[in-house]
Amino acid sequence: MNILERKDIVEIWKGIVAGFIAKPPLHPEEYEIRLTSGTSGNEPILIVRRHEPLHWNALRRVQCSGSMGVRLQHLLNALVDEPDVPTRIWALDGSDIQEEMGPLMEDYAPDGIRGSCSMILRAAGHIPAKTRAAVSSAVFGGEQVTPALRQAAERAFPNAKLQTVYRAIEVGSISEEPCGHLPFGHNHPAAGFGMNVHDPDKQGVGDILVSVALSETTFIENYRTGDLGRAVTGPCVCGKEEVFEIVGRRGQDYVKLSGATLRREEWDRVADALRLYNDYRVEASKVVLNGKVQGKVLLRIFRRDGAGTEALAQEIADKVAKTAFVTPTRTYSELVATGLLAPLKVEFSTTPFLRGKKEVKIVEK
Ligand SMILES: [Zn+2]
């Protein structure tokens, strides 16, 4: 099968955008030009596409987004969605999140909030409890919502229905707007999207490949988005057949390593359960030992109290290895016993870990 990678999409978009500028369509105002964020470490991509209305029935919306471009897009959304419905939108960016926001939010009384979960949670810290309790819909996108983030969101918006959407700027909204019947993190593919899970493992998790029309004349097939997901069987109450779940970003939230799977949510759970360190980073790599591939994991930890003896490192390594599941039924220690993984190594960091726009806790080296 021919799989399109990000570099292929970069080239395809260059051609489409050049064509758009050379020969604009009859109604260019129906189109939007966007730039991908480049936060994934890749070159940003300039794209142009017909504006997609958002079918979200929140009337007083808060949209948390990182950039001016996204803010403008959402303002446009509010204007063109359903002209007869008096939708209002507060497009919030990082610099707006401050103490003074509280009384204004109370006055605005939003019923829906949307954006990346971490940013919504940061904003929630400045929104009065009563105002948060009146929010009935929270829609997350743009980052993987770990169980810890989800629980925090449930506490912050106790009466909201929490849902996710899946999109990638370079291809558009891959999922439909939530139908309201699916479990958290599950979605239906949007109309026009073909979805495939490539090379699934025993749990059915593989690369998400999408096929879609990028423009009136360009159809792409099997583009690897970089996210991992699984197809879920069975029709939904709403009548749609196809359901998929995104489990994370390849090499970030979800790393496959010699028979083991390192999942961010599991390492968060272990950190919470053991309470032996305040923050952590996992570095996974593969080594070849006597002709066999073995997975190697370095757990770097930060302790606010600064304690860091070699004996403590060993003690933490033992406890974590016995607690962390790396397959549905087996712990890290059990995979060490089979030779698939090297013993877990723990190293202390004397300084706190840097936090980027997206917090990456597991890396593949
Ligand atoms: Zn449904």
Side-chain angles (χ1 to χ4, degrees), residues 179 182 188 236 238:
C179 73
L182 290 171
H188 296 300
C236 175
C238 77

Side-chain angles (χ1 to χ4, degrees), residues 77-351:
N77 256 328
L79 292 174
V80 304
D81 265 6
E82 287 149 82
D84 307 331
V85 184
T87 305
R88 288 195 286 163
I89 185 159
W90 180 338
L92 190 78
D93 81 7
S95 61
D96 298 328
I97 299 176
Q98 45 186 298
E99 214 49 56
E100 291 80 356
M101 197 181 91
L104 294 173
M105 270 295 165
E106 193 174 1
D107 184 48
Y108 181 59
D111 59 344
I113 191 160
R114 190 172 177 119
S116 83
C117 187
S118 340
M119 190 167 164
I120 288 176
L121 288 174
R122 274 205 292 140
H126 299 291
I127 305 175
K130 217 177 118 207
T131 307
R132 282 187 275 111
V135 170
S136 58
S137 167
V139 181
F140 307 119
E143 71 173 355
Q144 191 61 19
V145 182
T146 62
L149 284 177
R150 185 183 166 186
Q151 281 160 20
E154 280 167 355
R155 283 194 297 273
F157 301 96
N159 300 311
K161 187 165 181 66
L162 307 184
Q163 298 171 108
T164 55
V165 285
Y166 176 47
R167 49 181 306 151
I169 293 177
E170 69 274 23
V171 285
S173 296
I174 302 169
S175 75
E176 249 183 8
E177 278 298 300
C179 73
H181 299 289
L182 290 171
F184 187 80
H186 290 59
N187 287 104
H188 296 300
F193 271 88
M195 299 249 327
N196 257 310
V197 176
H198 178 61
D199 193 18
D201 62 16
K202 281 187 192 128
Q203 295 147 61
V205 174
D207 283 302
I208 293 283
L209 303 182
V210 300
S211 301
V212 68
L214 292 185
S215 73
E216 273 82 1
T217 52
T218 314
F219 186 81
I220 55 159
E221 265 182 293
N222 297 319
Y223 166 54
R224 197 197 306 263
T225 62
D227 295 302
L228 292 159
R230 93 184 98 221
V232 181
T233 45
C236 175
V237 181
C238 77
K240 299 225 164 60
E241 293 280 337
E242 272 190 280
V243 181
F244 66 92
E245 181 189 10
I246 299 300
V247 301
R249 196 92 192 137
R250 177 181 276 282
Q252 292 185 5
D253 308 301
Y254 196 102
V255 171
K256 291 181 179 190
L257 193 71
S258 326
T261 303
L262 308 178
R263 284 154 51 237
R264 156 92 187 257
E265 59 180 64
E266 175 61 6
W267 292 82
D268 280 351
R269 181 192 72 81
V270 170
D272 262 10
L274 298 177
R275 301 201 172 278
L276 292 167
Y277 41 93
N278 302 100
D279 200 2
Y280 76 91
R281 293 291 183 273
V282 167
E283 289 177 18
S285 55
K286 286 174 191 153
V287 287
V288 180
L289 208 74
N290 303 326
K292 276 190 181 164
V293 179
Q294 194 180 45
K296 215 174 117 182
V297 175
L298 170 65
L299 175 65
R300 296 173 57 231
I301 57 175
F302 172 71
R303 281 175 62 111
R304 263 184 235 120
D305 66 7
T309 63
E310 216 153 280
L312 181 61
Q314 196 50 54
E315 185 195 327
I316 291 174
D318 290 343
K319 285 190 175 151
V320 170
K322 285 191 187 114
T323 312
F325 280 90
V326 291
T327 81
T329 54
R330 295 199 290 176
T331 62
Y332 194 100
S333 308
E334 289 173 88
L335 258 71
V336 172
T338 66
L340 284 171
L341 293 179
L344 182 68
K345 203 168 172 277
V346 167
E347 225 176 68
F348 292 99
S349 170
T350 50
T351 50

